[in-house]
Amino acid sequence: MALRRNHLDPKKTLFLLCDIQEKFRLGMPLFDNMVKNADKLTKAGKALDVPLIVTEHYPKGLGQTVAQLDVSHAKLVSDKTLFSMFTPEVKAVIKDIFNDKPKDVVLYGLETHICMEQTAIDLLEENINVYIVADCCSSRLNQDRDLALDRLRQAGCVITTSESVIFDLVRDAKNVKFDAIRKLVSQPSLDMELKRSGDGQPVGSAKL
């Protein structure tokens, strides 16, 4: 399994956007906040030429990727019934992009405790580093999301946030693409009421 935290390289990184579909909107807490954070991350990936693969779980019943997310640059938008994104079609496109596999995958979407978790485990079994973007993840219950994030951390994933990913990909304010990125991060990401592992306190809170 991949256990090592390293800097992200746009040329060795893949974005996987998991099942952010219209029919989930009413059942997911803070769905709109998640979509806005995911939009920032997806746009940054496009600006930095990070390849993107998108899945849609049973779109006939659950609809397509929400209109707020521009995924027109995706290398693949794939229907699936498998809960994991790591389908034979996705594997083939990944191999075509990287001539083997990426060093790192940035994974975001829903539901955290089902499709995201199973995707992450599949990737770890391929010795691919997995970065879970916590402020771009959702489940129908926040407790399912938070417990899944704990399990994924224990499994060897890096639990991170959209802005951490974006700035790690840029690395330097002299990067020729920083002006485009600066516009995306001019406003802070929206709160997803994440819990800190173990003590149950909201992220950013302090015990007095």
Side-chain angles (χ1 to χ4, degrees):
M1 285 188 175
L3 297 171
R4 188 170 62 85
R5 167 72 171 94
N6 49 251
H7 288 300
L8 295 170
D9 181 343
K11 294 181 179 179
K12 298 179 181 179
T13 301
L14 174 68
F15 278 14
L16 290 182
L17 191 164
C18 184
D19 306 349
I20 304 182
Q21 293 160 253
E22 191 57 46
K23 284 291 181 70
F24 290 115
R25 184 182 297 275
L26 295 179
M28 301 285 170
L30 302 170
F31 185 89
D32 290 339
N33 285 11
M34 178 202 64
V35 169
K36 289 177 181 176
N37 293 341
D39 180 52
K40 175 195 292 188
L41 181 62
T42 304
K43 286 178 176 175
K46 180 179 180 180
L48 295 167
D49 298 318
V50 178
L52 170 69
I53 290 176
V54 178
T55 58
E56 297 173 342
H57 192 80
Y58 187 59
K60 182 179 178 180
L62 296 173
Q64 296 180 318
T65 302
V66 296
Q68 295 99 311
L69 297 177
D70 178 7
V71 296
S72 59
H73 63 292
K75 301 294 186 181
L76 174 69
V77 178
S78 178
D79 299 357
K80 68 179 178 69
T81 57
L82 192 71
F83 294 122
S84 173
M85 294 181 73
F86 210 47
T87 64
E89 184 179 22
V90 168
K91 290 179 185 178
V93 172
I94 290 174
K95 186 174 182 179
D96 185 59
I97 294 169
F98 293 97
N99 294 318
D100 185 17
K101 62 185 179 183
K103 179 181 180 183
D104 304 299
V105 163
V106 172
L107 177 60
Y108 57 112
L110 50 92
E111 287 189 65
T112 317
H113 65 296
I114 305 173
C115 297
M116 293 268 298
E117 184 168 347
Q118 292 188 32
T119 302
I121 297 303
D122 286 344
L123 292 166
L124 289 172
E125 288 179 347
E126 295 293 322
N127 290 313
I128 298 170
N129 294 316
V130 181
Y131 290 72
I132 305 289
V133 190
D135 63 333
C136 297
C137 295
S138 187
S139 293
R140 285 172 292 173
L141 291 175
N142 282 344
Q143 66 195 29
D144 279 328
R145 177 201 61 189
D146 295 339
L147 289 169
L149 292 174
D150 285 346
R151 289 192 298 273
L152 289 166
R153 181 184 292 107
Q154 293 166 6
C157 297
V158 176
I159 310 302
T160 186
T161 62
S162 52
E163 288 203 0
S164 179
V165 168
I166 291 167
F167 279 97
D168 199 30
L169 286 164
V170 174
R171 296 294 306 281
D172 193 328
K174 293 181 180 179
N175 188 311
V176 294
K177 297 182 179 179
F178 183 66
D179 279 348
I181 297 301
R182 181 172 49 82
K183 294 173 184 176
L184 294 174
V185 299
S186 62
Q187 296 297 319
S189 299
L190 297 180
D191 183 53
M192 289 298 293
E193 299 180 5
L194 293 161
K195 303 296 181 183
R196 193 184 305 142
S197 175
D199 61 12
Q201 295 294 313
V203 171
S205 70
K207 292 181 178 180
L208 301 178

